[in-house]
Amino acid sequence: MDGVPRVPEQRRPGSAQGAAEPAADLCFGVLGPVRAWRGEEQLATGSPQQRALLAALLLRDGRTATAAELIDALWGEEPPSQALAAVRTYASRLRKALDAGVLVSESGGYAVRGLAEGALDLAVAQNLATQAEKARGAGDLCHAREVLGRALALWDGEALAGVPGPYAEAQRVRLEEWRLQLLESRLDMDLEQGCHAEAVSELTALTAEHPLRERLRELLMLALYRSGRQAEALAVYADTRRLLADELGVDPRPGLRELQQRILQADPGLAEPSAPVAEPAAAPVRPAQLPATVPDFTGRSSFVRELGEVLASASGTEGRVMAVSALAGIGGVGKTTLAVHVAHQARAAFPDGQLYVDLQGAGPRAAEPETVLGSFLRALGTADSAMPDSLQERAALYRSLLDGRRVLVLLDNARDAAQVRPLLPGTDGCAALVTSRVRMVDLAGAHLVDLDVMSPDEALALFTKIVGEERVASERKAALDVVAACGFLPLAIRIAASRLAARRTWTVSVLAAKLADERRRLDELQAGDLAVKATFELGYGALDAAQARAFRLLGLADGPDISLAAAAAVLDLPVDETEDLLEALVDTSLLESAAPGRYRYHDLVRLYARACAERDEWPPSERDAALSRLLDFYLATTAQVYAIEHPGDRLTDDLEPTRYPGLRFTEGTAALDWLYTEAGQLLACVRQAAGTERLRRAVDLLWAAKDLTESGANSHQYEMTARATCEATRAVGHERAEGRARTVLSDVLLVSGRIQPSEREARVAMQLAGSARDATAVSWVANNRGLICLHESRFAEGKVFFDQALEGLRAAGNRPFEATVLGNLSRAHLGMGNIAKAVEMAQHGLAVHTEIGRTVRLANGHFALGVALTRAGRYSEALSRFSDALGIFNDHRQRLWEGVTHFRIAEVHAADRRPAQAAQHAEQALALGCIGGDRMQGNVLTLLGRSLAALGQADRARACWREALSLYEQNGAGEAAEVRALLTSAAAA
């Protein structure tokens, strides 16, 4: 759909002539019940017929409606005998209720005048729709979606709700059609922005509500296809075609048929929204004094274009003074190569010459500016006899000679801004390109460019150009491994590719294997006079002692990046002092600032930093001490997050002690922000501690961070970390730590729906925890084993485990966890048919959670009671419990629990014979994911299929069941038989 639809036949507010002064604070609503407010006070608008009169006048936008027109609007062709008197009475009453001068009599009729801008919700909606149309036309889809969402939010149910009369009915139809058009436009933009998975749930509900609206069906097909659900997308078309034939005797419109064909053909144009094609870079040109450009220059198109535009602005008819671009980046990132390439392309724009110098800023003896100026002046024709002696005089002569000329100056490998300033041209039409490892923030007027490593595609293309297409094509995966091992750093890729090109007997796989050893990688990345390590050594040698220590120690920590607070723990320094050191390293391009307060190394720079730590750090024990402080920091901070999220839980009392303090939080949002931001880093810290004396603390850190599993965040990393700690603890024979590690692994396997592996780990964990007399772990794993029994329908056995967990928790005084287990025990009683007992226990658990406060476990309490009430047939109460749970899970970012709650809500709606609502919530469960993994996804798909079948969408229902059957068969689930029966029954229908 192009553009944003406008409301039919709706004129702009204030179009009538002779409008009175705006009525302050008076506003009206027609996009719902007809209402009026004065400020916060809602005014009485009278009987339905009186509201119909008010609506008719509001919708005429200040124009006068005659008495005859109003009578026709209210009663149509059969008005009562006293219709005119009734109209006058309604008008009189409204005039008294509203501000003076708002409802006026004129020419035998009435009009509403003098309203302030935005006083009518319909006018506000139209204005927002217009803004959205402009934003969309300008390509700002995010703003257009946001504005259109505000417009749609103005509807409060059916427009003109409860207002009688033929005019109101006609306007209701008109406004509902416009609302649907706006909704379709917003959904269309959702898909353009890539929000297809989120749109499926809403579109499923809308197509159920408006089954004959083909545009909604088309959007649903596209959303399903982009979500990887091609079979369902085609099933939507089949359902639509059958419905249109049965109800209207027509075929789907051409657009829908074309979309079906494109889906059948897997048209690549449907996969993602189209993106504009980048303009090709200008053809390279030859320089005068510039070094030769490399023949295999690859990628960097955005930087080439950006720098080219800056140079073009300097050489244009309105050239600006001292057009300077300064490129910064780590050694080997390709600054010189890019600058020379761009300079070659700009040669035609600077016909008076191109100057070049290597300022040797990364070395121990940087070039002196006066020496460089002497060289430049000679190149510009100055005789040695006329050469000034001082720096100031040479710089003045240099600028004088450049006056009126178009000259490009390339200042390569600069030390700092002080070295560069005397070498800059000072006249219109000239420009300078500067490369440096230091960001020249103090170079006035410079266009700063931070050059990063290549993209994977660019890196592979460079490698292929050097090695040859034939050798790479047969070993593409190994080639990708090579460029990844090079950290996508151009210098490293060039060295690796050159070594391979010179050794015809090597395969790409041989090179990949050599680079896979991190301890040897830097030694492998050297060829001739090129070496990655030598490049880094220049930067490291220029650091002072404190900076060099920070560089070495921070490189020891695994993880994608590191926060300022964590870095302060590694260095054992105050945060302010740490920040100064890290920012100094950023300025030298040895460290990157990933975001405010966050820092990271390039992979090869990290390896070099670790090599420096092994070589230079004294005493050597400081390396282990630094990593120990980091682990303490993460454990102490994560324990506090757990305590905030689970107040009263005694787990934090039983964790390994720490010496280095963590962060302190005053409220839960900041604590959760920290946990999810630091997830990758703290899991890396746990893995790094495997096999060291820090192992027990690492296991406890993993346990304290368990909320990461149920949120769905970093699930794979969390599981891999849990497996690594299990292996490490088993290797050293530490029963207590291994018991906890296996408890954690059992937990994560249970969350993902892998029941048999979870039970195997839980059995071992129970034995180890019991042998180590670890009461906390025993209670925890007993609860897990009870949950496993629920999944396997072993309800009596599950009750035994829950009772065991309760006994231990009560002995430890752990009331919050006790309440959670009561909710689980409630489900065991449900399985045994003790519904009243189940409701009672869930209510008891919820009461304890409520007493503690609004925590994530309060949501578990509401959830457990909702499940019990559903089985009891108390659907309204169950929905209320699930709604409360959903809000809390959302606040605490427990995405998987949100998903399973939507599934339970869908079950309630299905049981209460509301298939459209059931389908909508099932779709939301699929979009979010659920506790229980593939098996639970199969349950959701089965329920969704039942709901769609009840809505008459048989083909899509069968598609859902087939997908559910595949998931059940992959996991050996008993539910497969039920789904086979559904498919057999559907085929026979």
Side-chain angles (χ1 to χ4, degrees), residues 492 495-496 499 503 520-534:
I495 292 172
R499 291 188 70 197
R503 291 164 175 79
R520 292 275 309 154
R521 187 176 298 167
L522 288 176
D523 294 328
E524 294 288 346
L525 290 174
Q526 54 184 351
D529 62 349
L530 294 179
V532 171
K533 184 187 294 185

Side-chain angles (χ1 to χ4, degrees), residues 27-41:
C27 57
F28 297 88
V30 294
L31 301 178
V34 176
R35 290 172 289 192
W37 293 269
R38 182 182 292 109
E40 298 296 324
E41 176 192 4

Side-chain angles (χ1 to χ4, degrees), residues 302-615:
S302 62
F303 291 110
V304 171
R305 186 165 52 251
E306 178 183 349
L307 293 168
E309 289 173 355
V310 174
L311 295 181
S313 70
S315 63
T317 56
E318 297 182 2
R320 55 182 184 169
V321 174
M322 203 173 67
V324 181
S325 289
L327 287 73
I330 63 173
V333 81
K335 300 181 293 296
T336 299
T337 302
L338 174 61
V340 169
H341 182 76
V342 170
H344 273 284
Q345 288 192 336
R347 177 182 176 276
F350 298 94
D352 296 319
Q354 304 88 41
L355 299 172
Y356 170 84
V357 65
D358 179 359
L359 295 173
Q360 302 176 28
R365 291 183 295 275
E368 295 295 334
E370 53 264 39
T371 303
V372 175
L373 283 171
S375 174
F376 280 176
L377 289 171
R378 292 185 187 94
L380 292 169
T382 303
D384 285 346
S385 59
M387 189 75 64
D389 292 328
S390 71
L391 171 63
Q392 291 75 16
E393 289 176 323
R394 288 187 178 189
L397 178 59
Y398 170 65
R399 291 191 293 269
S400 298
L401 290 174
L402 292 181
D403 184 31
R405 299 187 184 187
R406 294 186 183 279
V407 175
L408 173 61
V409 182
L410 176 47
L411 306 172
D412 192 20
N413 195 13
R415 179 186 56 203
D416 52 29
Q419 185 189 29
V420 166
R421 289 191 191 100
L423 309 178
L424 295 176
T427 57
D428 294 356
C430 291
L433 280 173
V434 184
T435 74
S436 177
R437 300 189 184 196
V438 177
R439 292 192 81 244
M440 296 200 173
V441 294
D442 52 345
L443 190 59
H447 173 75
L448 302 182
V449 176
D450 292 319
L451 193 59
D452 203 350
V453 296
M454 286 181 149
S455 69
D457 288 342
E458 290 176 335
L460 183 61
L462 175 59
F463 184 79
T464 302
K465 281 186 178 182
I466 299 172
V467 173
E469 179 70 36
E470 183 178 348
R471 295 178 76 181
V472 174
S474 61
E475 295 186 275
R476 179 178 173 82
K477 183 180 183 303
L480 288 170
D481 290 340
V482 168
V483 296
C486 292
F488 310 110
L489 188 72
L491 175 62
I493 295 167
R494 183 172 297 281
I495 292 172
S498 298
R499 291 188 70 197
L500 184 61
R503 291 164 175 79
R504 304 304 299 177
T505 59
W506 283 14
T507 63
V508 182
S509 298
V510 168
L511 178 60
K514 287 178 174 291
L515 294 177
D517 183 355
E518 288 190 352
R519 298 187 66 84
R520 292 275 309 154
R521 187 176 298 167
L522 288 176
D523 294 328
E524 294 288 346
L525 290 174
Q526 54 184 351
D529 62 349
L530 294 179
V532 171
K533 184 187 294 185
T535 299
F536 297 156
E537 191 74 45
L538 290 172
Y540 177 64
L543 302 177
D544 65 29
Q547 293 167 353
R549 175 181 179 268
F551 175 74
R552 295 191 300 267
L553 292 183
L554 290 176
L556 295 172
D558 285 347
D561 64 3
I562 192 167
S563 69
L564 179 59
V570 171
L571 301 179
D572 198 16
L573 292 173
V575 170
D576 290 345
E577 188 174 341
T578 300
E579 184 174 24
D580 290 341
L581 289 172
L582 269 55
E583 288 299 323
L585 293 175
V586 170
D587 288 341
T588 62
S589 297
L590 286 172
L591 193 66
E592 301 172 25
S593 179
R598 303 200 69 82
Y599 302 88
R600 68 185 176 203
Y601 285 97
H602 180 272
D603 291 346
L604 295 179
V605 177
R606 185 196 301 275
L607 292 179
Y608 176 71
R610 289 181 175 179
C612 291
E614 292 182 5
R615 182 188 68 194

Side-chain angles (χ1 to χ4, degrees), residues 656-847:
E656 288 288 318
T658 59
R659 294 181 180 179
Y660 195 91
L663 297 176
R664 309 296 296 176
F665 303 104
T666 57
E667 45 87 27
T669 300
L672 285 177
D673 285 343
W674 181 89
L675 178 65
Y676 290 112
T677 300
E678 296 292 332
Q681 290 72 23
L682 66 86
L683 291 176
C685 185
V686 172
R687 292 192 296 272
Q688 192 172 14
T692 72
E693 56 83 21
R694 306 187 299 275
L695 181 57
R696 287 180 298 173
R697 279 178 290 158
V699 170
D700 280 359
L701 170 56
L702 189 64
W703 199 357
K706 69 168 290 292
D707 284 347
L708 293 174
T709 62
E710 296 183 358
S711 72
N714 305 89
S715 297
H716 177 71
Q717 281 191 56
Y718 192 97
E719 180 182 339
M720 292 303 99
T721 306
R723 292 187 182 279
T725 57
C726 286
E727 289 301 315
T729 51
R730 184 185 62 80
V732 299
H734 197 291
E735 286 187 338
R736 182 175 185 271
E738 186 182 356
R740 292 187 170 202
R742 295 196 180 278
T743 299
V744 168
L745 182 56
S746 169
D747 200 43
V748 73
L749 291 169
L750 182 60
V751 168
S752 63
R754 287 168 284 175
I755 305 305
Q756 284 76 27
S758 176
E759 184 165 27
R760 286 196 297 271
E761 295 297 335
R763 288 179 184 275
V764 177
M766 182 73 85
Q767 293 172 354
L768 290 166
S771 177
R773 298 183 181 180
D774 187 352
T776 301
V778 167
S779 297
W780 199 292
V781 77
N783 179 62
N784 278 359
R785 295 192 70 179
L787 291 170
I788 290 166
C789 290
L790 294 186
H791 281 280
E792 296 290 318
S793 300
R794 293 150 36 202
F795 301 111
E797 185 182 355
K799 179 180 180 299
V800 172
F801 284 120
F802 290 136
D803 287 338
Q804 180 184 358
L806 286 173
E807 181 180 356
L809 293 169
R810 285 167 178 159
N814 195 336
R815 294 189 69 223
F817 200 0
E818 175 191 344
T820 297
V821 177
L822 285 172
N824 296 335
L825 183 58
S826 165
R827 291 170 59 192
H829 280 289
L830 284 178
M832 293 185 291
N834 305 327
I835 295 177
K837 182 68 173 176
V839 172
E840 177 188 345
M841 300 209 76
Q843 288 173 331
H844 182 192
L846 178 59

Side-chain angles (χ1 to χ4, degrees), residues 87-147:
V87 166
R88 290 172 176 166
T89 300
Y90 298 151
S92 175
R93 291 173 180 170
L94 287 170
R95 187 179 290 113
K96 293 176 182 178
L98 305 177
D99 292 349
V102 172
L103 197 157
V104 297
S105 301
E106 185 178 79
S107 304
Y110 300 94
V112 170
R113 301 272 174 79
L115 298 184
E117 183 178 355
L120 180 63
D121 58 358
L122 177 57
V124 175
Q126 184 186 13
N127 183 48
L128 290 171
T130 300
Q131 292 180 37
E133 182 177 16
K134 290 179 180 177
R136 188 174 190 180
D140 189 355
L141 287 183
C142 290
H143 182 59
R145 289 171 64 206
E146 186 269 330
V147 172

Side-chain angles (χ1 to χ4, degrees), residues 839-923:
V839 172
E840 177 188 345
M841 300 209 76
Q843 288 173 331
H844 182 192
L846 178 59
V848 175
H849 286 311
T850 303
E851 180 183 337
I852 294 169
R854 186 181 170 85
T855 69
V856 67
R857 283 196 172 142
L858 176 60
N860 294 125
H862 285 298
F863 180 90
L865 182 54
V867 172
L869 291 171
T870 302
R871 284 288 303 277
R874 294 157 64 177
Y875 299 135
S876 177
E877 295 174 73
L879 286 176
S880 177
R881 295 300 103 216
F882 287 135
S883 177
D884 288 342
L886 202 58
I888 300 172
F889 284 138
N890 180 267
D891 290 346
H892 291 265
R893 308 177 205 183
Q894 295 292 301
R895 179 174 60 83
L896 297 183
W897 273 110
E898 284 186 70
V900 78
T901 305
H902 277 294
F903 168 67
R904 292 297 188 180
I905 293 172
E907 283 189 320
V908 175
H909 285 303
D912 209 17
R913 299 182 180 179
R914 294 192 293 269
Q917 292 90 329
Q920 181 180 4
H921 283 281
E923 283 288 5

